[in-house]
Amino acid sequence: MLRVIAVHQNFFRHQPANRYPVSNMALRFLIKTITPVERMTASLGFSRSCAGVKTAPPGTSGALPERPKKPASGYVQFVTDTIPRLRQQMPDAKSSEMMTKASALWKDLDMATKKRYNDAYSANKEKWLADMARFEASLSAQTRDQLMMAERKARDERRESRERRQRKRQMNERQKPRKPANAFMLYIQDRQATRGDRSQKDFIVDMAKEWANKPESERAPYVKRYTEAKEQYQKALVAWEGQMIKEGRADLVRAGSQPVIDTDEVPKSRR
């Protein structure tokens, strides 16, 4: 997926300045069309250290030591083992559906198998605790402080990421107007029937080349459609933000749309 995005970015980086670039919306469309549905099990594991700190390769300048990896619980390990089998049995299922199914299978799992998973976790946890004790003893005061700062930063970033996802989910639940597809995206949509046997990657690259070489006269209808849709979107967005402010959810609107409070009308006790 990253290679595909790089192809688009490199292609348009070398185009003349008067060409229309591929927007972030186009790249998001590309990601959605080629990214596998299943991603949820990744959130259950601990791909880096238990604190989520990104460390530099050993031996490089400024590298921080990586804490011993915290073992997955018996339940998490069972889900990790089960998801690949469910993916084969339920190829069209959403990640949430597979997770629900895996959770139900764990709940109904026979006690002997469940005990085997939990016993393996207990043994791994004991080893991890011993490794952690040795790791902590090996740290200098300076390295410990640096590692704590890095871990604190990682926690803050994860919290901010969760808050952004929650805010986006709340806006979607309240039917926030969606941005319209730009001119290039409209062109891709009209050309989908010509994709044939080409992969999505090759098709997008071909469409990008076509779009970059089209004269202004052929791009104009798509630009006009986008401009009209954008005007409608902006009107709908203003109306939606006004409704959110009335409902007491000003936190969901843009900073420039926040209501202005007259301090002369606010009681001193509330200032």
Side-chain angles (χ1 to χ4, degrees):
M1 177 184 71
L2 296 178
R3 289 197 299 269
V4 177
I5 295 176
V7 168
H8 288 63
Q9 292 175 335
N10 292 334
F11 175 80
F12 282 98
R13 188 178 293 117
H14 298 91
Q15 295 303 308
N18 63 341
R19 297 299 189 188
Y20 284 78
V22 175
S23 69
N24 290 334
M25 182 181 296
L27 296 180
R28 288 197 298 270
F29 168 80
L30 176 61
I31 292 172
K32 289 179 180 179
T33 56
I34 64 177
T35 301
V37 174
E38 221 299 301
R39 284 287 183 267
M40 191 168 294
T41 52
S43 66
L44 296 174
F46 302 88
S47 57
R48 298 294 297 178
S49 69
C50 62
V53 177
K54 295 182 178 179
T55 57
T60 59
S61 176
L64 289 175
E66 188 171 353
R67 292 185 184 275
K69 183 178 178 180
K70 186 176 181 179
S73 67
Y75 166 72
V76 171
Q77 188 59 52
F78 172 79
V79 171
T80 303
D81 295 342
T82 304
I83 286 296
R85 175 166 53 86
L86 292 179
R87 188 184 294 114
Q88 294 179 350
Q89 298 174 357
M90 310 162 57
D92 298 327
K94 297 180 180 179
S95 298
S96 58
E97 295 173 345
M98 286 190 288
M99 288 298 300
T100 300
K101 179 65 175 178
S103 179
L105 291 174
W106 170 261
K107 183 178 180 180
D108 297 335
L109 195 64
D110 63 273
M111 295 303 299
T113 305
K114 187 176 292 188
K115 183 177 183 301
R116 176 165 56 82
Y117 274 101
N118 289 333
D119 288 348
Y121 167 66
S122 297
N124 292 333
K125 183 179 179 181
E126 290 295 329
K127 181 180 181 303
W128 172 71
L129 291 174
D131 292 342
M132 281 292 294
R134 287 191 294 270
F135 175 82
E136 291 289 346
S138 68
L139 296 177
S140 65
Q142 180 181 5
T143 301
R144 183 177 289 103
D145 291 342
Q146 292 175 342
L147 190 58
M148 290 178 62
M149 291 179 61
E151 291 171 348
R152 187 179 301 113
K153 180 180 179 181
R155 288 194 298 270
D156 291 342
E157 290 175 350
R158 292 198 302 271
R159 185 187 66 254
E160 293 173 358
S161 179
R162 287 194 302 269
E163 291 174 352
R164 287 194 298 269
R165 292 196 302 269
Q166 181 180 10
R167 186 171 182 268
K168 183 177 180 179
R169 182 171 61 252
Q170 292 175 346
M171 290 189 293
N172 290 336
E173 291 173 350
R174 288 164 175 78
Q175 299 180 342
K176 178 184 177 181
R178 294 182 178 274
K179 290 184 179 180
N182 65 11
F184 175 66
M185 285 299 304
L186 293 173
Y187 176 73
I188 289 180
Q189 293 173 7
D190 286 353
R191 297 281 289 165
Q192 277 291 337
T194 67
R195 175 181 170 182
D197 297 332
R198 285 177 290 181
S199 67
Q200 188 69 13
K201 169 186 172 181
D202 292 339
F203 175 69
I204 294 292
V205 171
D206 291 344
M207 293 302 98
K209 292 178 181 178
E210 286 186 10
W211 177 258
N213 293 317
K214 278 190 174 298
E216 293 288 341
S217 59
E218 294 186 22
R219 290 198 299 260
Y222 295 98
V223 174
K224 180 180 179 181
R225 287 168 55 187
Y226 167 65
T227 302
E228 294 174 348
K230 183 179 179 181
E231 292 176 355
Q232 296 177 357
Y233 159 75
Q234 291 174 338
K235 292 179 181 178
L237 181 60
V238 170
W240 181 84
E241 290 181 332
Q243 182 61 33
M244 291 300 100
I245 293 174
K246 290 181 180 179
E247 295 179 3
R249 294 308 308 269
D251 58 303
L252 298 181
V253 307
R254 295 167 297 175
S257 302
Q258 295 283 351
V260 178
I261 300 177
D262 188 350
T263 56
D264 294 335
E265 299 180 1
V266 178
K268 293 183 179 180
S269 59
R270 296 180 57 189
R271 294 184 188 179

